[in-house]
Amino acid sequence: MNIYISIIIFNLLLSLSTIGQTGVINTIIGNDTAGCVGEGISATTAQLTGCTWVTVDTIGNIYVSDIICHTIRKVNTAGIITTFAGNGTAGFSGDSSAATLAELNQPVGMAIDKYGNLYFADYLVNRIRKINTSGIITTIAGDGTAIDFGDGGPASASKVYGPLGIALDTFGNLYFTEIGGQRVRKISTTGIITTVAGTGIHGYAGDGHHADSAEFYRPAGIVVDVYGNIYVADQLNNRVRKINTAGLIITIAGDGSSTSSGDGMAATAAGLNGPDGIALDKMGNLYISDNGTRIRLVNTAGIISNIAGSASLLYGFSGDGGPATAALMEVTGIALDKHGNLFECDSSQRIRKITHPYTLNLDRTETQIEKFTIFPNPAKNKLTISCGEIINSIEVYNVVGSSFDNLRMTKLDNNSKIEINIGDLAKGIYIIRVNGSIVRRFIKE
C-alpha cells in the first residue's frame, strides 16, 4: 500500500499522527452574555457565568459546572438545557434530597460512572458529592473542614482539602485531586479513602519513585486509562505526570518552563504553561488545556502538537465555524465524547465543541467493541485476536501510518479468534484494525 494512503487511513482511524490536524470549532452552549438564565430552552440561547468544567456521558448528554451560578447544568442530545444540581445559592445543604434543591459552593470537576451516577467536587465546602440516577444528592467524602484526614478509613468520615479534578477507573474506584492538600486521593468501591500520590507539601519532586513521596504544586485535572494508569495535570509545575499501576510517578509532558513551546517534539521536552484540564481518548492520546489559550495533544508516541487555539497565544473569543487552530479561546476544562469530539469550557461563558477532524467513529456499539480483545498485551511473538463477531480482515499499522503487508489478512474462514506472528516487528506501539473499523493498540516487547 502507498505510504501516503496508509497515513491517511491511519489518521482517519486513530488520530495518532496529530501534527497539522484540526477540527472545526463551534459554540454549542451559552452566548456572549454572562448570567445564570436558561431553563428548558435551547442551550445556545442560555447564559453561563463561571463555566469551569465539562463532562459528557455515554449517550451524549453534556454536563457543565458553573462556579459563579453554583449549579451543574445539563444539555441533552436535543440541545435543551436544564439545571441538574444546585438551587443557585452558595452554601452546603440538601443531602438526601433532590439535587436541584441543594446548595452547592463552586462545583468543579465531574465524572460519571457506567450506571449514570454523577460525582463532583464541591470545592469551597471541601466535599465530594454524588448525584444518583434518581437525582438525589449525597456527600461521599469530606465534612467541610479544609484538612486531609481519614486515610485508611471510610470516606464518609474523612476530611478533604480543596478537591478539584475527579476521575473514575474501569472498576468504579474514584480518584480526585486536592489543590489545598497537594495530593491525589482515592475512594475505593468499598468506600475506603487513601492517598495515592503526594506528600502534602507543594513543590516538584519524586519522579521515578513511588508517588506517595512525590510533590505536586496545584494538581488539577485527572484521568485514568483502561489499564489503571493515572494522569495528573500538575498545574504550577507546568507538567503532566503519570502514576503507573505499580505506584511509580514520572513526567510525561512539560519540562517545567511556562512557555507553551515544543510542538512536533517529544512532550517531555516541550514547555507547558499552567496545564489545567486533561482528557484521554480510547487510543491513549492525551489532551491538555494549556495556558488557557490552546489545547495540545500528546499522541501515543509521546509527540506533542497543537490542535486548538491560536499560535499567537492570545486570549479572546473568535473562530466559530472555522478550524480550531485559528480560534481564540480561554479554555479551562475539557472533555471528549465517545466519537472523539472535544468539548472545551471557555471563560467567554460558552461551551465550544471541536468536531474530530475525521469524525472518529468506530462504527460499533460499546458492547461489540468490548468483545474485541487482543492478548497478551504487551506481546513478544504471538498475538491472539478474539472478536465477538466473525473476523473478515486484519491490518496492522505502526505509529507513522505504515501498514505491514505480511500481517494483512482477509477471507479468514469464518473464524472469530485468530493468532498472528509479530516476532519480526520492532519493539514499540502498534495498532491493529479488525473488520475495517474496530481498532486496538498493542505493545510489541
Side-chain angles (χ1 to χ4, degrees):
M1 181 183 291
N2 181 283
I3 183 64
Y4 179 74
I5 296 174
S6 295
I7 292 173
I8 291 176
I9 292 173
F10 188 78
N11 288 340
L12 283 169
L13 289 171
L14 306 170
S15 187
L16 290 180
S17 296
T18 54
I19 298 170
Q21 295 185 18
T22 186
V24 174
I25 190 168
N26 281 295
T27 296
I28 60 168
I29 305 172
N31 54 49
D32 59 359
T33 304
C36 305
V37 178
E39 191 73 14
I41 62 175
S42 171
T44 54
T45 61
Q47 296 175 1
L48 303 174
T49 299
C51 165
T52 56
W53 227 271
V54 59
T55 193
V56 187
D57 67 21
T58 56
I59 299 171
N61 299 304
I62 304 164
Y63 301 80
V64 184
S65 58
D66 192 321
I67 64 170
I68 303 300
C69 296
H70 305 290
T71 56
I72 296 173
R73 316 281 290 281
K74 174 183 177 180
V75 178
N76 66 17
T77 55
I80 302 301
I81 191 167
T82 54
T83 298
F84 185 73
N87 64 13
T89 301
F92 172 74
S93 71
D95 270 5
S96 301
S97 300
T100 51
L101 302 177
E103 292 180 350
L104 317 180
N105 203 339
Q106 296 198 3
V108 280
M110 300 174 290
I112 302 171
D113 69 19
K114 63 182 179 181
Y115 304 109
N117 302 300
L118 184 143
Y119 301 81
F120 71 98
D122 205 351
Y123 176 64
L124 281 188
V125 292
N126 296 294
R127 289 172 167 93
I128 305 296
R129 303 176 81 179
K130 172 184 176 180
I131 303 167
N132 69 16
T133 54
S134 298
I136 303 301
I137 190 170
T138 54
T139 294
I140 64 168
D143 67 357
T145 309
I147 61 171
D148 283 308
F149 174 80
D151 277 359
S156 57
S158 69
K159 303 177 190 297
V160 303
Y161 189 4
L164 190 60
I166 285 187
L168 292 159
D169 67 18
T170 55
F171 300 104
N173 299 299
L174 184 146
Y175 299 81
F176 64 96
T177 57
E178 290 183 332
I179 61 172
Q182 310 296 339
R183 288 179 166 93
V184 176
R185 299 176 81 184
K186 172 185 176 181
I187 302 173
S188 72
T189 55
T190 58
I192 302 302
I193 191 168
T194 53
T195 294
V196 297
T199 63
I201 299 172
H202 69 74
Y204 174 69
D207 273 8
H209 301 284
H210 201 276
D212 63 7
S213 65
E215 293 176 355
F216 294 96
Y217 202 167
R218 202 179 190 275
I222 182 170
V223 290
V224 185
D225 69 19
V226 294
Y227 306 107
N229 301 299
I230 304 164
Y231 301 78
V232 180
D234 197 354
Q235 189 176 36
L236 294 187
N237 280 322
N238 301 305
R239 292 172 167 93
V240 176
R241 302 170 81 181
K242 174 183 175 181
I243 304 158
N244 69 16
T245 55
L248 302 180
I249 190 168
I250 58 170
T251 293
I252 61 166
D255 64 1
S257 63
S258 54
T259 59
S260 290
S261 63
D263 285 344
M265 298 169 49
T268 50
L272 297 176
N273 195 347
D276 190 357
I278 55 176
L280 195 71
D281 69 23
K282 291 182 178 180
M283 296 300 104
N285 301 301
L286 182 72
Y287 300 73
I288 305 169
S289 167
D290 184 28
N291 190 39
T293 62
R294 300 206 293 168
I295 299 172
R296 302 174 79 186
L297 187 148
V298 180
N299 68 16
T300 56
I303 304 301
I304 194 168
S305 60
N306 182 48
I307 62 165
S310 170
S312 66
L313 303 182
L314 294 176
Y315 291 95
F317 174 80
S318 71
D320 270 9
T325 48
L328 295 182
M329 57 180 57
E330 297 183 43
V331 59
T332 53
I334 58 176
L336 289 160
D337 68 15
K338 65 181 181 180
H339 303 302
N341 300 305
L342 183 66
F343 299 80
E344 62 104 351
C345 215
D346 202 283
S347 295
S348 63
Q349 326 309 334
R350 297 169 172 94
I351 298 291
R352 302 170 82 184
K353 176 182 178 181
I354 301 166
T355 304
H356 189 280
Y358 300 111
T359 315
L360 179 64
N361 190 335
L362 302 183
D363 196 28
R364 289 290 188 272
T365 66
E366 292 297 313
T367 300
Q368 286 172 313
I369 292 170
E370 288 171 1
K371 289 181 179 178
F372 173 37
T373 59
I374 53 176
F375 56 91
N377 189 13
K380 289 185 178 180
N381 296 307
K382 301 287 186 179
L383 188 70
T384 299
I385 302 134
S386 179
C387 196
E389 59 188 61
I390 299 300
I391 299 174
N392 297 311
S393 66
I394 295 172
E395 297 164 276
V396 176
Y397 297 86
N398 65 16
V399 294
V400 297
S402 299
S403 62
F404 298 87
D405 290 341
N406 62 314
L407 294 177
R408 185 180 296 112
M409 301 181 184
T410 58
K411 299 178 181 179
L412 299 174
D413 299 323
N414 294 321
N415 288 316
S416 61
K417 188 174 182 179
I418 300 291
E419 183 181 82
I420 62 173
N421 188 342
I422 60 169
D424 292 336
L425 294 179
K427 292 181 179 180
I429 298 171
Y430 295 86
I431 298 298
I432 191 162
R433 179 173 74 158
V434 173
N435 293 348
S437 60
I438 312 179
V439 294
R440 280 287 186 273
R441 178 169 57 105
F442 72 90
I443 298 171
K444 168 62 166 62
E445 289 185 324

